[in-house]
Amino acid sequence: MTGNLTGPWWRSPAVPAALGVGAGTLYANFVVDWARRGSASLGHVVSELAAPGEPQAWIYRAGEVGCAALVLPLLPTARAGLPAGLGREVVAVATAVFAAGAAAAAVVPTPCGPGVVREEVDRRPRSNLHDGASIVSDVALYLGVAAAWATTRRRGPGWFHRAAGWVLWLGTGSNLAAGYARPVAGRRWLGGVSQRVNILTISAWLCCLGLIGAQAVRDRSAPPREAGLSPATPAPFPAAPTP
């Protein structure tokens, strides 16, 4: 059972698919720095690339805000592609919180870029608002993924359920690795790599939301079918009444 879709904006499955792929691409904006500096960029936290004074910082900030702007209009169709119930409402609300947190973290960037070197990573000046928004954003995103996994265990697309499971595993592992690496300056490379794995995992999930939204639009626009019959199959004649 799917939710209601109204308005001409959602009549093409290509629209939610493009929104999901676009949001995922913008969220993985660290590839710009990767292309520019190669593996040397892996030792830096991604949010440091958007710090004031860093080259091309506006690209990373604009990427996260743009991601949020694409996620929000995607949610009605993504929600419609999930089985009715509390789970899909949690997915929609949690993903909206993720988008708002990502935009807030971009608007209020961390104050220090990769050029600031301290013995302990956590002793560097940081913006509490930025860090808080980032944490809320990630937690909300994975809460939505968990809700999507739970609500599609018995109903809904099997591929989407499996994708949610993989996202949960990869997201949990990468965040644990990043948490282990963060307090020690010598583990910055591990922290940088694990954070980028987490970002790519989230980007892939946003693409999945786009695909489930596209599937919902396609199913809604499909011609009605008789139960158990294809459109090309004529309906059987009614049985003759018994005397």
Side-chain angles (χ1 to χ4, degrees), residues 86-108:
L86 178 62
R88 75 175 183 182
E89 309 303 334
V90 174
V91 174
V93 173
T95 308
V97 173
F98 154 78
V107 172
V108 185

Side-chain angles (χ1 to χ4, degrees), residues 17-72:
L19 290 174
V21 173
T25 302
L26 289 175
Y27 194 73
N29 52 45
F30 71 87
V31 297
V32 175
D33 189 66
W34 196 355
R36 185 170 63 91
R37 296 191 299 154
S39 60
S41 68
L42 297 179
H44 302 305
V45 177
V46 172
S47 59
E48 294 176 345
L49 304 176
E54 290 299 314
Q56 300 175 329
W58 68 271
I59 294 178
Y60 309 110
R61 298 180 203 168
E64 292 203 44
V65 174
C67 169
L70 295 181
V71 166
L72 293 178

Side-chain angles (χ1 to χ4, degrees), residues 3-224:
N4 295 325
L5 299 178
T6 58
W9 176 256
W10 303 113
R11 287 178 183 173
S12 171
V15 173
L19 290 174
V21 173
T25 302
L26 289 175
Y27 194 73
N29 52 45
F30 71 87
V31 297
V32 175
D33 189 66
W34 196 355
R36 185 170 63 91
R37 296 191 299 154
S39 60
S41 68
L42 297 179
H44 302 305
V45 177
V46 172
S47 59
E48 294 176 345
L49 304 176
E54 290 299 314
Q56 300 175 329
W58 68 271
I59 294 178
Y60 309 110
R61 298 180 203 168
E64 292 203 44
V65 174
C67 169
L70 295 181
V71 166
L72 293 178
L74 168 63
L75 293 180
T77 49
R79 172 186 173 276
L82 297 174
L86 178 62
R88 75 175 183 182
E89 309 303 334
V90 174
V91 174
V93 173
T95 308
V97 173
F98 154 78
V107 172
V108 185
T110 187
C112 297
V116 178
V117 178
R118 298 290 176 87
E119 181 180 354
E120 295 288 340
V121 174
D122 277 350
R123 289 181 182 174
R124 294 175 304 160
R126 302 187 67 86
S127 166
N128 290 333
L129 179 57
H130 172 86
D131 288 351
S134 297
I135 292 172
V136 169
S137 179
D138 272 23
V139 170
L141 187 283
Y142 285 111
L143 177 62
V145 176
W149 179 85
T151 199
T152 54
R153 288 186 66 183
R154 294 179 177 86
R155 297 180 298 161
W159 70 266
F160 190 76
H161 175 72
R162 291 188 294 273
W166 276 107
V167 168
L168 284 176
W169 277 107
L170 289 172
T172 301
S174 59
N175 276 290
L176 288 175
Y180 168 77
R182 180 175 177 179
V184 181
R187 300 173 187 161
R188 285 180 62 83
W189 191 85
L190 173 62
V193 171
S194 59
Q195 188 194 30
R196 284 158 176 78
V197 171
N198 178 57
I199 290 173
L200 290 175
T201 301
I202 292 175
S203 296
W205 178 247
L206 297 178
C207 292
C208 290
L209 291 178
L211 293 177
I212 195 72
Q215 183 172 318
V217 174
R218 183 197 62 193
D219 292 345
R220 181 176 175 82
S221 60

